[in-house]
Amino acid sequence: LSGRRIVLHIDFFLERFRASSENEAMIWHDKVYTYHDMLSYVEQDRAKLKEYISSPMVVSIEADFSPHAAALLLVLIDLGCVIVPLTESVANKKEEFKDIAQVEATVILHDDDSFSFQTENRRADHAIIQKLKRENHPGLVLFSSGSTGKSKAAVHDFLPLLEKFKVLRKCLRMLTFLLFDHIGGINTLLYVLSNTGCIITLDSRQPEAVCRNIEKYHAEVLPTSPSFISLFLLSEAYKNYDLSSLKMVTYGTEAMPESTLKRFHELFPHVKLLQTYGLSEIGIMRSKSLSSDSLWVKIGGEDFQTRVADGLLEIKAKSAMLGYLNAPSPFTEDGWFKTGDEVLVDGEYFRILGRRSEMINVGGQKVFPAEVESVMQEMDGVEDVVVSGEANPMLGSIVKARVKIAGNESLTDFKKRLRQFCKGRLERYKIPQKVELIDHMMTGARFKKMRREE
């Protein structure tokens, strides 16, 4: 920049692209792009962006996965920019997010994968962003889903996030199910590119489209969420496709209902189920499930440490964010990130019960929504269920369930059947005292349960 190149942050990617230039890099809109194509796009996009960017800026990329979106991400890293990925899933919050992130320029990807660049009438002056710019370090701003509250803007130094991708791992064909503005989606993209695998993009993230793409392009890995796995099982779309290429399904982002896990494992015993653990604030940790049908998981790895304080998981990570742009620091004085997740511990393994903020206190007894949802999802006709707490003057809270059912069963009949079904499966205080029947699914754009009623 300004007549000189800053440190080449993406050299190891480009070297691997050159060594595997004929390999399939991405399938986008049913067209195959090779690593030779990716190298060309990186050079083209670098030349174009350098016309606009003479020193590091805060740049939003409004895109989903595509060849140019991947190339632009790499180029912006190399130019030392602070990158703010935004997808259509946050369309109604885009301007608010750009204000919070102090976006100075926007790159918009169009339907044909061409892009336009526009400057914004802002100057980033937040201390964290200024520090990144001074050090010529690229940054990444990720917004939490806000499923139970206001979205927080986590800022990362991109260099520690890139470190783990320098270690060569398995070359795999992976679907981009998790979104481009989600830590899991960014992790998928960088993992596949760094190991010169193949990225299989999705025009739709509905079960039918996912199954079709697994069969058509021999996908080996599906990174997804428990809510999508429930939807996938309910749809029975898998009955119409050959999914034999699928080797692994990874899931994270929220607590997995045990009934969903066991049913998937019974239907697909050849598919390894791996629980992952990652947050916008710390990145994605390496993990190992006790078994495909177990919710016990070992998490950590080279650059992560874990501990439990007052029943809550805390993590120290080299790839931890620098801080929030719009919220107080969630780190302890000695540098541990407070996840807010309540866990059980058995030796090296954890069982993640769910966010303590979502826990329901019924007369002093703990109820975690995922446990109740797991039982209710085994009932005939239950298509979707979200459990939450509702204030109660006698007990503090009671358990409330919003349920989508098949057919025309009355609320009275369903409640009677629910009580009978849960008897012996759940302690009495965990059985929902209030039930609402609704006519829509309660999964957000990121395929995560929405616990707040809109």
Side-chain angles (χ1 to χ4, degrees):
L1 301 176
S2 303
R4 65 181 179 86
R5 285 295 309 281
I6 61 173
V7 178
L8 294 173
H9 304 305
I10 64 166
D11 265 5
F12 71 99
F13 283 103
L14 303 184
E15 286 168 13
R16 293 175 192 178
F17 292 5
R18 290 184 197 103
S20 305
S21 62
E22 299 309 312
N23 287 13
E24 292 184 358
M26 186 178 291
I27 294 162
W28 182 72
H29 289 188
D30 292 319
K31 184 179 175 183
V32 175
Y33 296 81
T34 66
Y35 278 97
H36 175 77
D37 296 325
M38 291 305 301
L39 281 165
S40 298
Y41 289 150
V42 168
E43 289 311 310
Q44 288 172 32
D45 295 351
R46 188 200 308 279
K48 186 168 178 180
L49 284 183
K50 286 182 79 173
E51 293 176 17
Y52 306 112
I53 300 174
S54 59
S55 59
M57 303 176 76
V58 181
V59 182
S60 67
I61 307 182
E62 299 186 8
D64 200 344
F65 294 97
S66 72
H68 274 293
L72 285 162
L73 181 74
L74 292 176
V75 171
L76 287 167
I77 290 170
D78 215 24
L79 296 178
C81 290
V82 177
I83 302 159
V84 188
L86 298 171
T87 63
E88 278 303 304
S89 72
V90 296
N92 61 336
K93 293 183 176 179
K94 226 172 244 184
E95 291 310 312
E96 176 196 342
F97 285 1
K98 285 164 76 169
D99 274 336
I100 292 167
Q102 300 185 336
V103 168
E104 297 170 310
T106 299
V107 174
I108 300 173
L109 273 289
H110 305 297
D111 290 343
D112 63 356
D113 209 28
S114 65
F115 70 91
S116 53
F117 183 96
Q118 62 188 45
T119 55
E120 305 281 349
N121 188 26
R122 288 187 200 87
R123 178 167 170 73
D125 58 6
H126 194 285
I128 297 175
I129 292 172
Q130 288 292 330
K131 181 175 184 289
L132 286 168
K133 287 185 174 186
R134 279 196 308 274
E135 295 174 350
N136 264 338
H137 281 205
L140 176 67
V141 178
L142 295 170
F143 286 87
S144 61
S145 61
S147 56
T148 57
K150 186 181 176 185
S151 295
K152 295 174 185 172
V155 190
H156 286 268
D157 182 332
F158 224 134
L159 296 189
L161 288 176
L162 291 178
E163 276 303 306
K164 71 175 181 177
F165 299 108
K166 292 180 180 178
V167 180
L168 273 169
R169 302 193 187 278
K170 284 184 182 177
C171 174
L172 294 165
R173 301 175 68 83
M174 295 178 73
L175 289 159
T176 54
F177 182 89
L178 302 173
L179 301 186
F180 186 66
D181 56 359
H182 182 283
I183 187 65
I186 294 288
N187 191 73
T188 297
L189 177 67
L190 296 178
Y191 177 94
V192 177
L193 292 178
S194 64
N195 293 291
T196 58
C198 182
I199 296 157
I200 301 165
T201 67
L202 292 165
D203 292 332
S204 163
R205 289 172 171 87
Q206 294 301 316
E208 190 81 21
V210 170
C211 290
R212 184 171 61 248
N213 277 272
I214 292 171
E215 177 184 89
K216 189 171 183 179
Y217 298 115
H218 311 293
E220 296 172 296
V221 183
L222 168 61
T224 189
S225 69
S227 289
F228 176 77
I229 294 174
S230 295
L231 189 63
F232 173 89
L233 295 172
L234 177 69
S235 75
E236 298 190 338
Y238 56 85
K239 291 182 175 180
N240 303 321
Y241 296 91
D242 176 6
L243 306 185
S244 59
S245 66
L246 194 63
K247 295 177 181 175
M248 183 186 295
V249 170
T250 65
Y251 63 91
T253 76
E254 61 185 344
M256 167 70 89
E258 194 166 6
S259 56
T260 301
L261 183 70
K262 290 192 182 302
R263 180 147 179 253
F264 187 94
H265 180 61
E266 285 166 7
L267 283 169
F268 302 97
H270 70 284
V271 176
K272 181 180 178 182
L273 280 154
L274 175 66
Q275 184 175 180
T276 59
Y277 191 84
L279 297 162
S280 298
E281 295 88 348
I282 59 164
I284 305 290
M285 302 167 69
R286 288 183 64 73
S287 61
K288 181 184 178 184
S289 291
L290 186 61
S291 65
S292 283
D293 60 349
S294 173
L295 290 172
W296 289 90
V297 61
K298 189 191 296 186
I299 53 178
E302 309 89 90
D303 298 325
F304 295 91
Q305 295 171 263
T306 57
R307 74 181 186 189
V308 177
D310 185 32
L312 297 177
L313 181 63
E314 295 184 355
I315 294 167
K316 184 177 273 190
K318 285 186 181 177
S319 60
M321 69 170 183
L322 301 174
Y324 292 125
L325 293 177
N326 60 340
S329 171
F331 293 98
T332 62
E333 285 185 13
D334 55 347
W336 291 75
F337 176 72
K338 296 181 284 188
T339 68
D341 282 325
E342 186 138 345
V343 294
L344 299 175
V345 184
D346 184 4
E348 295 181 291
Y349 286 84
F350 296 98
R351 178 162 177 173
I352 297 153
L353 301 174
R355 290 289 166 98
R356 184 170 284 181
S357 60
E358 295 176 359
M359 186 193 78
I360 307 159
N361 188 324
V362 181
Q365 302 275 17
K366 291 180 180 180
V367 181
F368 285 94
E371 182 185 3
V372 182
E373 290 163 358
S374 178
V375 170
M376 291 182 65
Q377 283 175 349
E378 293 185 75
M379 291 178 66
D380 288 341
V382 170
E383 295 186 344
D384 196 17
V385 55
V386 168
V387 168
S388 58
E390 183 170 291
N392 178 274
M394 297 288 290
L395 298 170
S397 295
I398 57 169
V399 178
K400 172 184 172 181
R402 287 178 290 147
V403 193
K404 183 178 187 300
I405 59 172
N408 298 311
E409 188 174 10
S410 72
L411 177 60
T412 302
D413 288 346
F414 178 77
K415 285 170 76 171
K416 192 183 298 181
R417 186 161 68 90
L418 169 68
R419 283 192 294 271
Q420 193 61 37
F421 186 85
C422 292
K423 192 177 177 182
R425 291 179 172 89
L426 288 172
E427 289 94 333
R428 190 173 176 182
Y429 64 88
K430 294 179 181 177
I431 298 173
Q433 296 299 298
K434 184 171 181 180
V435 178
E436 289 180 10
L437 296 183
I438 59 171
D439 60 2
H440 57 277
M441 302 299 279
M442 291 162 285
T443 302
R446 294 187 180 187
F447 285 90
K448 187 175 176 181
K449 282 192 186 295
M450 302 301 288
R451 300 208 179 279
R452 281 192 312 149
E453 294 180 64
E454 297 302 326

